[in-house]
Amino acid sequence: MSEQVLGDPSRPATRAVQHIPGEAGLPWFGVLFELLRDQRGMVQRLQAQYGSVYRVRGLGQWSVYLMGADALKMVLLDREKNFSSAQGWDLSIGRLFRRGLMLLDFDEHRFHRRLMQAAFRRQALEHYLDDMQRVTRESVARWHDDPNFHGYRAIKQLTLDIAAVSFLGIELGDEADALNQAFIDTVAASLAPIRLPIPGTQFQRGLKGRALLSDYFRDQIPARRNSNSGDMFTQLCHATDDDGNAFSNEDIINHMIFLLMAAHDTVTSSLTTSLFGLAKHPQWQRRLRDERQSIDADTLQYADLEALPQAGWLFNEALRLWCPVPLIPRRVQRSFTYAGVQIPANTQITVSPDSAHYDATIWSDPERFDPERFSDERAEHKRHPFAFSPYSGGAHKCIGLHFAQMLAKVILAEVVTHYELAVPVDYRLDMQPVPIPKPRDDLPLTLSARLNLAH
C-alpha cells in the first residue's frame, strides 16, 4: 500500500480509474436510473460483462465495484483500516444521518460502538421483548379488519409502532405519529436526486424531518438522563464505558436518528419479503405454526427464542434473497490491489452482499427459496466467512442483529398463529431496490383468519 489520503467527505472520488473497465452512463446521473429501476439486474449484467472489478458513474462520481465473497471479506474486515465507511456513505446519507454509527470510522467508531453496546445487551433485549410482543399482538389481531391488506404497509406501521415504544419509550398516539412521519421523510430524502434545500422538495422535507427529530430528542434528554426506563433512548442517555465516558447530547441525537433508520427500514424490508415467502410457500406457514405451538406459553420469554429455529431460517432466507442493503460503499484511503487490479487512493468503492448471496459456487440453486439451507445439517451459509452478509461485517457489523432476529421471530410467530397467507399462483414480487428494497405494489396479500388461535 502507498499514498495516504486526508479524509475529505465533500471531495468527489478520484477519476484516476480509466484503466478499469465499466460504463459512464448518462451525463452526471450516470447509471443512477438503471440502478433505481433494477439494481440487482444492473450489477449482475455488469459483472457478467466486465468481471469481478468494474467501474460505473453516478451523481457525478465514479465508483469501482468489487464483486464476490472475497471482496466482502477484504473490505468489511478492513484489517489495515483502509476503507472509510463515513466517506463511503456521506454522499447518500451524510447530511441526513450525520455521525450515526455507520458514519464514523476506526478508533472513533470503536469508542461509540462500545458505549452503544449497552442498549443491545441481553438485559435490554429482554425488556424490548415484552413491549414488542404486546404491540405485535394488538396490531396483528387488527389486520383482518383491512379489506385492502398490503403486507408492506402493515409491517411498516407495526415496526414504526414497535420503535416508538421500544426505542423511544412513548405510547402510540399523535406524538408517535408525528415522529414516525418525520422519520419517514428523512429516510425518503436519501434517494432525492436534487440534494439542495429547496422548499417543497423531497430533500428539504427530509432535512425538516431530521430537525424535528433532533428537537424532540434534545428536549427529552435531560429527563431521560434522570429516568430508569428500559427503552433504547434512555439506555443511550445512561451508557458509559469503564472510564466513565458518556455520550454527549449531540451524540445521543445523532445515534437515535440513525438507529431508527438502521433498525426500522431494513427489518421492514426483510419482514415483508418473509411474508411473501410464507404466502408463496404455505408449507412454511405450517412449519412455523407447529414450531410456535410447541412452546406452551402465550408470551415468549427470551430463552424461548432458541426453540424457534425455523422462523430464523426463513427470515435469513428472506435476507439472502432480498438483501435490505444490497450495496455497501466505502472510500479508499490508500491504493490497493484486488483481483489483480490496482485501485487508486481516494476511490469510491462498492461491495455487494448480493454477489455472494447468489453465488452458485457457495449456495445450491441460489435463486430458489429454501430456508433449510440455514439448518445445522446443511449450513450453506458457513461455506465462506462472508457467504451471508446482510448485516455487513467486521467492525461495522450490525450492532442490532440480535434485536432484528428477535423481532422477526416474534412477528412471524404471531402472524402464522392468526392467519393463513396467500398470493395468486402467478404473482411476481417486483422490488423497488433503493434506498431500502420494498415491493412496488406494497405486497397485496389475502388473509384468512384461523379459528383456533390457541398456542
Side-chain angles (χ1 to χ4, degrees), residues 111-116 225 236-237 239-240 245-252 255:
F111 168 77
H112 281 253
R113 186 183 176 99
R114 188 167 60 244
L115 278 180
M116 191 180 293
R225 289 196 186 277
L236 291 188
C237 289
T240 59
N245 295 306
F247 285 131
S248 70
N249 287 2
E250 288 303 309
D251 288 336
I252 293 169
H255 287 317

Side-chain angles (χ1 to χ4, degrees), residues 26-89:
L26 299 171
W28 194 77
F29 290 104
V31 300
L32 175 64
F33 297 113
E34 183 180 2
L35 184 146
L36 295 178
R37 184 176 64 252
D38 182 13
Q39 169 267 324
R40 178 176 297 152
M42 183 195 82
V43 169
Q44 291 177 342
R45 175 183 67 80
L46 292 169
Q47 183 176 2
Q49 186 170 354
Y50 300 111
S52 61
V53 182
Y54 59 84
R55 63 180 173 128
V56 296
R57 189 173 64 182
L59 298 179
Q61 71 174 15
W62 289 99
S63 181
V64 174
Y65 280 52
L66 311 178
M67 297 289 101
D70 288 341
L72 287 162
K73 180 179 179 180
M74 176 187 65
V75 172
L76 298 182
L77 285 183
D78 195 15
R79 299 190 187 281
E80 299 184 39
K81 298 182 179 179
N82 190 37
F83 307 113
S84 168
S85 180
Q87 294 179 24
W89 285 104

Side-chain angles (χ1 to χ4, degrees), residues 383-446:
R383 292 176 177 173
H384 186 287
F386 283 79
F388 182 61
S389 303
Y391 299 106
S392 188
H396 282 275
K397 189 170 186 176
C398 176
I399 195 171
L401 70 91
H402 296 299
F403 178 92
Q405 291 281 333
M406 177 174 72
L407 178 62
K409 289 183 175 183
V410 166
I411 292 177
L412 294 177
E414 194 70 22
V415 170
V416 297
T417 296
H418 277 79
Y419 303 107
E420 300 276 357
L421 311 178
V423 291
V425 174
D426 59 351
Y427 177 82
R428 178 179 175 272
L429 188 64
D430 183 17
M431 298 292 282
Q432 172 187 307
V434 290
I436 303 291
K438 65 178 287 289
R440 296 186 198 275
D441 61 2
D442 289 344
L443 184 60
L445 290 173
T446 300

Side-chain angles (χ1 to χ4, degrees), residues 294-311:
S294 70
I295 301 173
D296 186 20
D298 288 338
T299 300
L300 296 170
Q301 301 301 310
Y302 189 80
D304 292 330
L305 299 175
E306 293 184 4
L308 302 174
Q310 294 183 90

Side-chain angles (χ1 to χ4, degrees), residues 51 98 265:
R98 55 181 176 268
D265 263 34

Side-chain angles (χ1 to χ4, degrees), residues 16-17 39-40 196 215-217 252 281 283 304 326 375 383 405 454:
V17 291
Q39 169 267 324
R40 178 176 297 152
L196 298 171
D215 290 344
Y216 172 80
F217 290 129
I252 293 169
H281 304 275
Q283 71 273 22
D304 292 330
S375 65
R383 292 176 177 173
Q405 291 281 333

